[in-house]
């Protein structure tokens, strides 16, 4: 209905009078400003802008409180109020000064705001809240220990492991190793020299000269007393190849001796020969052991032969990845089975019959909401306590979360069912079962499948991390590699997770698109 | 003959949607029910096949008491009463064919039908029904892909599969534009004239009522306030019309001459 301009003007006037009558400020503009200087927000409250006043007051109280706490933290270990502040200022001058300035600004603006509230009898702009937000931002920066400098400074350190994670494929394959070795016995202590093995034509041979001597030992002050120098001469090895020296003590323990802190390693010449001098190494021998002992020194050439084959890391990753996908699948499967009956209990249109059913509806909804609001990772922690480490714990956790999430989605699908087609099918003379098969299920099937696939997608994604807390799957392997600092193998796991999740994402989106 | 005697319906919330409604419908009639939105038209139609249980009164059909029929009998009654709806009420995700075939459900063995296994003759009949409404091309499309007018034609084909003696049509054209309204009502008229199917139809547009009705019933607040033949309604006065549509309703339909050529441009009450 059209109104004349005069009518409209009258209406506006009436509205203004009605409002101002109820909102006459209790104090004048100056009074309001003073009140807000004394207590930020008080002036606004006195100007009948209670909500605004309370908001300003609580924002100020919160930021001043947090600021005080941070100062106390920074000035820990000094006594006295002034000293604490000075210490804090000394440690983080920028932060303390900035926050103090912002707070003072907010304080002043709050007073100005109160002045305007009282004068104009209506809400001024929201600029003061932007200022409060800025204050919170500065506080948050300090509390969260944000450190951009560190981010840049540590980057070179992080680069090597990161590059291994990003391109880990060197560790994805391994080769069969072939060893060319020859060894000789060395006697430690006094006694007849051990018999030298005969040299065979075409076989590698190692000659140790002398082959009787003293091992390196320690004196009372644990200073090393060097052992006998021996010369190793190798012949008949593969030419131009790195050769490692190994030592085997009489007990049968092998180790690689070092000279000046470096492992002993030598490269053979054109003829496959080498010569090397070394000191007989230190070896802790049991006190009961006395007398001479036969040690053995060996020269080894390790070379790779044959085609590359998947490394253990790759094989483990693939098997864990399969485990992960199936974990996600089983959790989805159980989730679907249990959430179907639950979803009916959580559907308002089905449960609205009586008080009791409504009570069940609210109870079910509440429980579902609680279960859903707890992250699967936390459920996994609980499940690990419950059923122990391994994929089953992960499945239990994911199933619980799936029931809650799917129960909600399904119940919404049930609530969204159109009664019209059901009525139409009934009108044809169909019985109850036929009505369900023709009227209800076709309406449910597409959201049902779509939600289930979506959930499978989520569950596989979740099961890749659920291993972090011991729930099995590839996450379990990943943390182990990271703890062992085996970044290449960890990288392989990360790559597989990324590939699987991306593939699944695509497939599930594609299926859902077709269904829609 | 279908006879309504003192039919009343009170909903659980206390709404009295029908009050003491009595009338009868002869076989072959095209009965149009008119009345404002909320006057009880849908309730009346749904009581006829007991999608809604009447509170009191009775409906008898050729001597069979519909109101007291047990559920197997009710289903055999329902399968001879086709029904079409304002919002078509097709199962949108099923193919047009399956929607049409669902009209056979009342005749079929439960287990076979649950697996969507229909007899060959049923499929042939479904094709023929689609042919009658000009939709053979669309048979294997999903119902949701069809336009409103096409969906309503599928609704008619579904009703046809029931080999109905009566078709109930609850505002079948209220969601369609006026040109389509004539198409749909034209189909109903052909079924009425050629197959002798009794049609009970609620309508909003007075011109349509004047054009198609052989008998008219007017409802207001659940009471019958008007009875007349198609002839009567063509000669209807403003006073009589207001009696049905309420005081503030204006007569919208043009005279009989205009009604035949021009579709209605306005309705006394917004379509629900
Ligand atoms: N399920 C129901 N529960 C309660 N009241 C209803 C229900 N369905 C319809 N009504 C009421 O019954 C009256 C008649 O409705 P209806 O038969 O749909 O009228 P019409 O089809 O003529 O618009 C209206 O007042 C409506 O609000
Ligand atoms: Mg209606």
């Amino acid at each position: 209905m059209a109104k004349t301009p005069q009518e409209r003007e009258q209406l506006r006037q009436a509205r203004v009078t009605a409002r101002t009558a109820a909102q006459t400020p209790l104090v004048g503009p100056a009074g309001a400003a003073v009140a807000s200087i004394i207590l930020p927000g008080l002036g606004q409250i006195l100007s009948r802008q209670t909500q605004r006043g309370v908001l300003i007051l609580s924002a100020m109280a919160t930021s001043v409180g947090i600021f005080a706490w941070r100062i106390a933290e920074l000035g820990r270990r000094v006594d006295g109020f002034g000293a604490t502040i000075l210490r804090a200022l000394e440690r983080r001058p920028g932060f303390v000064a900035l926050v103090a300035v912002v707070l003072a600004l907010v304080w002043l603006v709050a007073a100005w705001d109160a002045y305007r509230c009282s004068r104009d009898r209506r809400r001024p702009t929201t600029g003061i809240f932007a200022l409060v937000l800025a204050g919170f931002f500065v506080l948050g920066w300090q509390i969260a220990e944000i450190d951009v400098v560190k981010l840049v400074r540590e980057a070179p350190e992080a680069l090597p492991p990161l590059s291994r994670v990003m391109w880990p494929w060197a560790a994805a394959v391994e080769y069969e190793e072939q060893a060319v070795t020859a060894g000789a016995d060395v006697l430690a202590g006094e006694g007849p020299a051990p018999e030298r093995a005969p040299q065979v034509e075409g076989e590698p041979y190692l000659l140790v000269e002398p082959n009787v001597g003293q091992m390196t030992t320690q004196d009372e002050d644990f200073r090393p007393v060097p052992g006998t120098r021996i010369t190793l001469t190798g012949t008949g090895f593969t030419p131009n190849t790195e050769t490692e020296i190994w030592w085997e003590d009489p007990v049968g323990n092998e180790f690689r001796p070092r000279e000046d802190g470096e492992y002993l390693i030598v490269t053979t010449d054109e003829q496959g020969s080498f010569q090397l001098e070394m000191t007989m190494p230190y070896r802790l021998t049991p006190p009961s052991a006395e007398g001479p002992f036969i040690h053995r020194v060996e020269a080894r050439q390790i070379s790779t032969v044959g085609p590359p084959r998947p490394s253990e890391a790759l094989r483990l990753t693939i098997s864990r990845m399969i485990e992960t996908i199936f974990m996600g699948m089983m959790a989805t499967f159980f989730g679907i089975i249990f959430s179907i009956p639950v979803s009916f209990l959580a559907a308002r249109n089905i449960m609205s019959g009586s008080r009791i059913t409504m009570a069940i509806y609210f109870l079910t909804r509440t429980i579902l909401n609680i279960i859903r609001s707890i992250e699967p990772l936390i459920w996994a922690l609980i499940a690990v306590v419950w059923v122990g480490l391994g994929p089953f714990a992960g499945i239990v956790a994911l199933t619980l979360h799936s029931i809650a999430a799917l129960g909600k989605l399904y119940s919404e699908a049930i609530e969204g069912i159109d009664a019209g087609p059901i009525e139409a099918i009934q009108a044809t003379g169909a019985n109850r079962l036929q009505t369900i098969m023709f009227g209800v299920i076709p309406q449910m099937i597409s959201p049902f499948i779509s939600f289930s696939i979506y959930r499978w997608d989520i569950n596989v994604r979740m099961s890749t991390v659920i291993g972090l807390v011991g729930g099995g799957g590839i996450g379990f392997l990943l943390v182990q590699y990271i703890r062992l600092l085996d970044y290449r193998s960890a990288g392989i796991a990360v790559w597989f997770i990324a590939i699987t999740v991306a593939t699944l994402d695509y497939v599930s989106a594609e299926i859902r698109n077709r269904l829609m | 003959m279908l006879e309504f005697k003192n039919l009343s319906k009170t909903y659980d919330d206390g709404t009295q949607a029908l009050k003491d409604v009595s009338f009868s419908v002869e076989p072959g009639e095209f009965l149009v029910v008119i009345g404002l939105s909320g006057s009880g038209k849908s309730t009346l139609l749904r009581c006829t096949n007991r999608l809604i249980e009447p509170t009191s009164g009775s409906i008898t059909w050729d001597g069979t008491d519909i109101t007291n029929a047990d559920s197997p009998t009710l289903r055999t009654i329902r399968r001879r009463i086709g029904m079409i709806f304002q919002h078509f009420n097709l199962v949108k995700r099923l193919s047009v064919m399956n929607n049409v075939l669902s009209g056979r459900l009342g005749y079929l063995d439960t287990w076979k039908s649950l697996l969507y296994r229909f007899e060959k003759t049923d499929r042939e009949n479904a094709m023929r029904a689609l042919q009658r409404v000009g939709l053979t091309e669309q048979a294997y499309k999903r119902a949701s892909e069809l336009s409103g007018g096409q969906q309503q034609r599928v609704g008619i084909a579904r009703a046809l599969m029931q080999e109905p003696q009566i078709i109930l049509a609850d505002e079948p054209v209220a969601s369609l534009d006026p040109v389509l309204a004539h198409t749909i009502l034209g189909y109903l008229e052909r079924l009425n004239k050629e197959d002798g199917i009794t049609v009970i139809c609620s309508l909003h547009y007075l011109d349509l009522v004047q054009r198609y009705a052989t008998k008219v019933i007017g409802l207001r607040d659940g009471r019958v306030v008007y009875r007349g033949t198609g002839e009567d309604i063509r000669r209807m006065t403003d006073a009589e019309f207001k009696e049905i549509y309420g005081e503030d309703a204006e007569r919208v339909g043009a005279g009989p001459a205009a009604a035949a050529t021009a579709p209605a441009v306005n309705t006394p009450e917004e379509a629900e």
Side-chain angles (χ1 to χ4, degrees):
Chain A
M1 271 178 278
K3 290 196 188 77
T4 64
Q6 290 98 317
E7 275 176 333
R8 243 180 269 148
E9 181 56 25
Q10 272 172 7
L11 244 139
R12 205 186 64 81
Q13 293 271 318
R15 247 183 256 135
V16 169
T17 345
R19 193 181 56 208
T20 44
Q23 295 180 341
T24 313
L26 296 175
V27 289
V34 171
S36 260
I37 291 269
I38 296 167
L39 187 67
L42 185 62
Q44 282 84 349
I45 295 172
L46 291 176
S47 308
R48 302 283 185 117
Q49 296 279 352
T50 317
Q51 263 190 5
R52 189 180 181 82
V54 169
L55 210 62
I56 290 174
L57 181 60
S58 47
M60 271 314 265
T62 317
S63 30
V64 169
I66 294 175
F67 187 41
W69 165 56
R70 291 317 289 177
I71 287 186
E73 284 274 296
L74 285 170
R76 221 173 8 203
R77 282 192 265 257
V78 273
D79 286 329
F81 186 68
T84 310
I85 292 180
L86 279 181
R87 174 99 183 92
L89 201 55
E90 192 185 307
R91 285 184 62 189
R92 289 284 155 76
F95 163 71
V96 175
L98 195 58
V99 177
V101 167
V102 171
L103 279 180
L105 250 173
V106 175
W107 209 294
L108 285 179
V109 172
W112 167 240
D113 186 80
Y115 177 84
R116 296 215 348 207
C117 274
S118 173
R119 191 193 61 186
D120 304 350
R121 301 187 176 187
R122 60 189 171 82
R123 237 164 275 149
T125 52
T126 46
I128 183 169
F129 293 108
L131 212 55
V132 170
L133 261 178
F136 276 123
F137 183 80
V138 177
L139 283 170
W141 186 280
Q142 206 266 333
I143 292 175
E145 297 177 11
I146 291 172
D147 193 344
V148 180
V149 179
K150 190 176 191 177
L151 206 60
V152 178
R153 193 183 58 218
E154 307 278 305
E157 285 272 322
L159 226 55
L162 267 185
S163 66
R164 257 174 269 162
V165 170
M166 308 248 282
W167 202 251
W169 304 114
V173 289
E174 62 190 18
Y175 296 86
E176 199 168 334
E177 287 178 343
Q178 194 187 43
V180 177
T181 60
D185 289 342
V186 178
L187 177 78
E190 314 278 311
E195 210 172 290
R196 289 212 165 93
Q199 192 169 356
V200 180
E201 192 59 36
E203 301 247 314
Y205 184 74
L206 184 70
L207 177 76
V208 180
E209 191 62 45
N211 61 355
V212 178
Q214 295 299 330
M215 296 293 281
T216 301
T217 49
Q218 285 177 342
D219 63 15
E220 297 84 59
D221 301 326
F222 299 105
R223 272 189 305 253
V225 179
T228 314
R229 295 288 287 173
I230 53 176
T231 309
L232 313 185
T233 312
T235 47
F237 284 83
T238 318
N240 303 318
T241 308
E242 284 196 341
T243 310
E244 295 172 356
I245 306 301
W246 285 77
W247 196 277
E248 186 184 337
D249 68 17
V251 194
N253 288 330
E254 280 186 336
F255 65 99
R256 290 182 69 184
R258 294 167 193 254
E259 200 92 317
D260 301 326
E262 296 289 328
Y263 285 126
L264 275 171
I265 202 157
V266 66
T267 306
T268 50
D269 63 14
E270 306 275 289
Q271 280 77 46
S273 313
F274 67 86
Q275 192 157 52
L276 166 91
E277 239 183 72
M278 67 177 283
T279 310
M280 286 174 68
Y282 172 77
R283 196 67 186 155
L284 193 69
T285 36
S288 58
E290 264 180 31
F293 284 109
I294 306 272
H295 292 250
R296 189 171 172 79
V297 59
E298 248 180 27
R300 289 183 190 170
Q301 289 182 321
I302 310 290
S303 57
T304 57
V305 289
R309 42 170 209 210
S311 69
E312 197 192 349
L314 185 66
R315 286 195 312 253
L316 265 179
T317 299
I318 291 175
S319 74
R320 291 292 152 221
M321 199 66 239
I322 292 171
E323 179 182 299
T324 305
I325 294 172
F326 276 95
M327 263 170 69
M329 205 188 75
M330 293 313 281
T332 314
F333 183 71
F334 290 130
I336 291 172
I337 289 184
F338 290 113
S339 61
I340 289 173
V342 170
S343 64
F344 281 91
L345 298 182
R348 181 179 273 271
N349 55 348
I350 296 213
M351 301 301 283
S352 60
S354 73
R355 285 245 170 91
I356 299 168
T357 52
M358 266 322 259
I360 296 175
Y361 160 81
F362 279 115
L363 189 73
T364 319
R365 278 262 147 147
T366 313
I367 294 175
L368 290 188
N369 282 340
I370 293 173
I371 296 181
R372 214 157 37 85
S373 58
I374 298 174
E375 280 293 307
L377 219 54
I378 296 173
W379 280 119
L381 283 172
I382 297 170
V384 164
V385 175
W386 185 359
V387 298
L389 292 174
F392 184 53
I395 290 175
V396 169
L398 288 174
T399 301
L400 263 174
H401 201 258
S402 298
I403 293 172
L406 285 178
K408 177 160 186 284
L409 289 175
Y410 290 165
S411 66
E412 272 158 16
I414 295 173
E415 283 171 359
I417 276 189
D418 182 3
I422 298 175
E423 196 180 34
I425 299 287
Q426 273 176 338
T428 65
N431 61 30
R432 198 170 274 268
L433 272 176
Q434 290 172 323
T435 307
I436 291 177
M437 201 61 198
F438 278 76
V440 180
I441 292 189
Q443 291 197 58
M444 295 270 313
I445 202 95
S446 128
F448 183 87
I449 293 180
S450 152
F451 291 147
S452 307
I453 289 177
Y454 180 52
R455 191 63 213 176
W456 184 47
D457 182 354
I458 292 178
N459 277 346
V460 172
R461 198 182 301 234
M462 287 307 308
S463 56
T464 59
V465 292
I466 220 144
L468 301 183
V469 296
I474 196 161
F476 203 44
L477 193 67
L478 182 59
V479 268
Q480 276 175 349
Y481 283 143
I482 290 175
R483 294 218 177 105
L484 294 172
L485 307 184
D486 185 353
Y487 292 117
R488 282 231 169 78
S489 304
I492 293 176
V494 169
W495 266 91
F496 267 81
I497 291 174
I499 292 169
T500 310
V501 168
T503 311
L504 212 70
D505 215 44
Y506 174 77
V507 171
S508 107
E510 197 61 9
I511 297 177
R512 278 183 287 141
N513 268 344
R514 298 241 170 110
L515 280 172
M516 280 303 139
Chain B
M1 182 156 93
L2 193 61
E3 262 193 297
F4 296 71
K5 272 207 202 104
N6 310 104
L7 195 72
S8 296
K9 170 66 187 177
T10 309
Y11 283 107
D12 289 342
D13 64 358
T15 314
Q16 277 192 291
L18 292 177
K19 297 166 191 161
D20 210 13
V21 171
S22 302
F23 63 95
S24 59
V25 192
E26 302 294 331
E29 201 100 68
F30 196 120
L31 173 82
V32 173
V33 184
I34 56 175
L36 278 174
S37 175
S39 57
K41 304 183 296 294
S42 297
T43 308
L44 177 64
L45 292 187
R46 281 170 169 71
C47 281
T48 311
N49 60 1
R50 274 177 58 197
L51 286 177
I52 290 174
E53 291 292 336
T55 313
S56 65
S58 71
I59 305 170
T60 45
W61 184 16
D62 295 340
T64 320
D65 185 355
I66 296 182
T67 28
N68 287 320
D70 58 10
S71 70
T73 319
L74 177 62
R75 284 207 298 276
T76 58
I77 293 169
R78 274 182 181 168
R79 67 187 193 193
R80 305 309 297 269
I81 304 180
M83 188 159 191
I84 61 180
F85 303 81
Q86 178 184 349
H87 298 295
F88 326 130
N89 289 0
L90 300 185
V91 184
K92 296 225 170 46
R93 293 201 52 84
L94 292 184
S95 66
V96 166
M97 191 65 179
N98 275 333
N99 266 290
V100 176
L101 283 167
S102 70
R104 284 312 283 176
L105 286 175
Y107 292 91
L108 292 180
D109 171 61
T110 306
W111 294 111
K112 262 192 194 159
S113 65
L114 287 187
L115 298 171
Y116 287 65
R117 299 235 314 251
F118 293 93
E119 303 288 336
K120 194 155 170 268
T121 52
D122 285 337
R123 293 187 176 276
E124 285 165 3
N125 284 335
M127 219 51 201
R128 218 162 286 136
L130 280 174
Q131 204 170 11
R132 278 191 84 167
V133 294
L135 284 177
T136 36
E137 305 272 294
Q138 271 74 20
Y140 294 100
K141 281 191 182 162
R142 207 178 259 181
S144 55
E145 290 169 32
L146 269 53
S147 70
Q150 289 174 323
Q151 290 196 26
Q152 194 58 295
R153 277 142 73 191
V154 177
I156 293 174
R158 173 171 65 189
L160 269 180
M161 288 301 283
Q162 294 177 235
E163 300 170 41
Q165 282 160 295
I166 301 175
I167 286 184
L168 304 171
D170 189 8
E171 308 205 26
V173 296
S175 330
L176 301 174
D177 68 52
V179 182
L180 281 174
H182 276 289
T183 321
I184 297 297
L185 286 173
Y187 282 120
L188 286 183
E189 188 177 45
R190 288 233 316 268
L191 298 183
N192 176 249
K193 297 243 163 74
E194 292 169 11
D195 305 38
I197 298 173
T198 310
V199 175
I200 304 179
C201 175
S202 61
L203 283 178
H204 250 116
Y205 298 80
L206 182 63
D207 339 43
L208 296 179
V209 183
Q210 289 177 325
R211 164 77 180 73
Y212 294 101
T214 63
K215 190 174 173 183
V216 179
I217 288 220
L219 285 181
R220 190 173 165 187
D221 292 334
R223 274 183 213 289
V224 180
V225 291
Y226 179 82
R227 290 162 208 272
T229 62
E231 271 315 306
D232 292 336
I233 200 125
R234 284 186 260 283
R235 281 186 268 102
M236 196 175 216
T237 65
D238 280 12
E240 285 170 310
F241 191 64
K242 277 188 179 160
E243 177 65 24
I244 306 162
Y245 274 105
E247 285 307 317
D248 48 315
E250 287 168 47
R251 182 185 170 112
V252 283
T261 52
V265 289
N266 203 350
T267 61
E269 180 75 13
E270 83 285 359
E272 169 194 347

